């Protein structure tokens, strides 16, 4: 929130664009200010070729290892989930989801 007025609220988006919203549109709506949060969640879908499906178990383990080594703020104490798992079959690939909290 950049400015809160009597009639309008001005919000700054992630791309720095400021948007003016009439307060009548948001007065009955729950709004979460994620910029004030101390923690972040990352959820990413990865497409793995069917040619590499046999490498999937090792690849998923390597992804977890790489994230643990590269991200010192990763929450990996069991209080938040940290997962890399098979999710879905797609037309030309399988989908692996990565879910991590920082």
């Amino acid at each position: 929130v950049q400015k809160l007025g009597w009639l309008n609220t001005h919000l700054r988006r992630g791309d720095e664009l400021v948007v003016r919203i009439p307060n009548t549109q948001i007065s009955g709506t729950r709004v979460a200010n994620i910029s004030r949060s101390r923690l972040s969640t990352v959820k990413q879908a990865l497409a793995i070729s069917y040619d590499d499906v046999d490498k999937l178990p090792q690849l998923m383990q390597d992804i977890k290892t790489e994230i643990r080594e590269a991200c010192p703020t990763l929450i990996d104490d069991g209080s938040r989930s940290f997962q890399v798992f098979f999710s879905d079959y797609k037309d030309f690939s399988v989908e692996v989801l990565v879910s991590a909290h920082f």
Side-chain angles (χ1 to χ4, degrees):
V1 175
Q2 181 177 351
K3 179 182 175 188
L4 184 61
W6 286 102
L7 300 175
N8 301 301
T9 297
H10 297 249
L11 301 175
R12 184 185 317 271
R13 298 184 343 181
D15 60 0
E16 297 298 319
L17 182 68
V18 176
V19 179
R20 181 183 58 86
I21 302 173
N23 287 342
T24 56
Q25 283 187 334
I26 59 174
S27 63
T29 305
R30 177 177 281 167
V31 178
N33 186 355
I34 61 172
S35 67
R36 300 275 183 186
S37 178
R38 296 179 307 118
L39 304 175
S40 296
T41 301
V42 174
K43 293 187 179 190
Q44 181 68 49
L46 306 173
I48 309 299
S49 169
Y50 282 113
D51 295 336
D52 295 324
V53 166
D54 58 327
K55 301 174 188 172
L56 208 52
Q58 185 60 47
L59 178 64
M60 291 190 300
Q61 188 58 44
D62 290 348
I63 290 170
K64 286 185 92 167
T65 300
E66 179 69 23
I67 292 171
R68 281 188 179 107
E69 291 174 358
C71 303
T73 58
L74 172 70
I75 300 172
D76 192 21
D77 61 3
S79 65
R80 300 278 184 142
S81 64
F82 172 44
Q83 300 173 318
V84 178
F85 59 95
F86 166 79
S87 172
D88 199 3
Y89 293 101
K90 299 295 184 180
D91 290 337
F92 302 102
S93 62
V94 293
E95 184 176 78
V96 171
L97 290 180
V98 178
S99 175
H101 300 271
F102 301 91

